Amino acid sequence: MFNTKKLAKLFAVGALALGVLAVAGCGDDSSKETEKVNPNAKVVNVATRGTVRPYSYTTDDGKLTGFDVELLREIERRNPNLHFEFKPMAVDAAFVAMDAGQVDMIANQMRRNPTRESKYYYTNEVNNYSTRKLVVKNDRNDIHNLDDLKGKKIAVTTSSEFNELVKAFNETANPPIDIIYTDKAGAETLNLVATGRADAAGEYEYVINSAVKDRGLPLKAVGDVLAVVPTYFLSKRTDDMKQVNDEIDKTMKEMRADGTLKKISEEYLGGDYTFDPQK
């Protein structure tokens, strides 16, 4: 007969050994990654969506990338005294996390507004200029501007400047535009339009182009540019983050001057969006 106590002990030892091997394997992977990081570097925890092409998204093999992410990685390469740790989360959650001291910065196409400027720090150098247009299904020819959307449904991200634009339009519109709110940015607004649950959305032009090219969504941009929005990084309002922002600004100026900023824009946004198209 088997000694059940002895057999159970053998299983426990075996499981422990496998667990140690698994942890050791994970440790090897992480050590390879951290070997490249200056151990004395200031660690900046950065909240970023991780779900929105082409700014911040995860590839099929699990790598976090995108325009905002790669900008900070290039800044880190040029400044080994800084190390950016990325924490994927929605924008609303990012502000909660930053107020709680869990993250130091938000990298998510952040625009300036007076309320945020009184509470947080922004970098001064513009990351890129976002041109926002209406997007509809590619078989529709009845929508070209906000007037055409009276009485129809539009998908809007709650934290966007487009939300404010549509609400202002609705103050005099009769009938008003029916607003569908989401906090999931372009990933959700474009899906709502593509599936017919919304008649239109207002999205950045290169997000629309990326959705058509990379995801095959049946969409098209229509009408005139509704807004040109400069975007920045946003951080906690502390002395150490002021120093980090100053270093980011200095490096961004160098990247703009040597063409690196333009190159990253062309790679991830499909064109050079590093200058104000209205000037």
Side-chain angles (χ1 to χ4, degrees), residues 29-45:
D29 291 340
S30 62
S31 65
K32 288 175 185 176
E33 187 66 27
T34 55
E35 278 174 4
K36 304 172 185 177
V37 178
N38 175 7
N40 299 316
K42 175 175 176 54
V43 176
V44 180
N45 291 303

Side-chain angles (χ1 to χ4, degrees), residues 135-137 140 143 149 152-156 178 180 189 191-201:
V135 55
V136 299
K137 286 192 74 171
R140 294 193 70 160
I143 297 172
L149 282 164
K152 296 183 174 67
K153 295 180 180 180
I154 193 165
V156 172
D178 184 8
I180 302 173
T189 59
N191 278 330
L192 287 169
V193 176
T195 56
R197 290 174 288 170
D199 297 288

Side-chain angles (χ1 to χ4, degrees), residues 58-250:
T58 304
T59 62
D60 291 339
D61 58 0
K63 180 190 175 186
L64 182 69
T65 188
F67 179 75
D68 289 336
V69 173
E70 297 307 328
L71 274 189
L72 288 176
R73 285 184 174 147
E74 177 61 24
I75 289 167
E76 179 177 329
R77 279 191 284 270
R78 297 177 183 223
N79 295 275
N81 59 317
L82 292 176
H83 175 57
F84 298 104
E85 289 277 357
F86 297 98
K87 313 290 182 183
M89 64 184 73
V91 174
D92 291 345
F95 278 103
V96 173
M98 194 156 66
D99 291 342
Q102 296 168 345
V103 299
D104 306 299
M105 176 180 284
I106 301 176
N108 203 82
Q109 296 290 290
M110 305 308 297
R111 61 188 175 89
R112 289 183 182 273
N113 72 40
T115 302
R116 289 176 181 171
E117 284 192 285
S118 67
K119 189 175 181 180
Y120 307 105
Y121 280 140
Y122 283 89
T123 50
N124 290 318
E125 285 296 305
V126 177
N127 295 351
N128 65 289
Y129 291 87
S130 303
T131 56
R132 192 181 289 275
K133 300 184 76 171
L134 286 179
V135 55
V136 299
K137 286 192 74 171
N138 60 8
D139 60 353
R140 294 193 70 160
N141 298 303
D142 59 325
I143 297 172
H144 303 280
N145 51 50
L146 291 178
D147 278 318
D148 294 334
L149 282 164
K150 290 177 181 178
K152 296 183 174 67
K153 295 180 180 180
I154 193 165
V156 172
T157 302
T158 52
S159 60
S160 70
E161 90 291 337
F162 186 65
N163 177 25
E164 297 165 12
L165 189 155
V166 175
K167 287 195 296 185
F169 178 85
N170 268 350
E171 290 176 3
T172 57
N174 185 24
I177 301 172
D178 184 8
I179 303 175
I180 302 173
Y181 290 104
T182 175
D183 65 351
K184 297 179 181 178
E188 180 66 13
T189 59
L190 295 179
N191 278 330
L192 287 169
V193 176
T195 56
R197 290 174 288 170
D199 297 288
E203 280 301 334
Y204 298 141
E205 192 168 11
Y206 39 72
V207 172
I208 301 168
N209 295 339
S210 176
V212 173
K213 177 183 176 183
D214 300 327
R215 297 164 57 195
L217 293 185
L219 303 170
K220 64 181 178 181
V222 296
D224 297 328
V225 172
L226 298 172
V228 176
V229 184
T231 66
Y232 309 83
F233 297 120
L234 179 148
S235 72
K236 295 189 300 186
R237 199 175 183 86
T238 59
D239 290 343
D240 62 332
M241 286 309 300
K242 177 65 168 63
Q243 293 177 358
V244 170
N245 285 352
D246 288 345
E247 199 151 355
I248 289 174
D249 282 331
K250 176 177 175 292

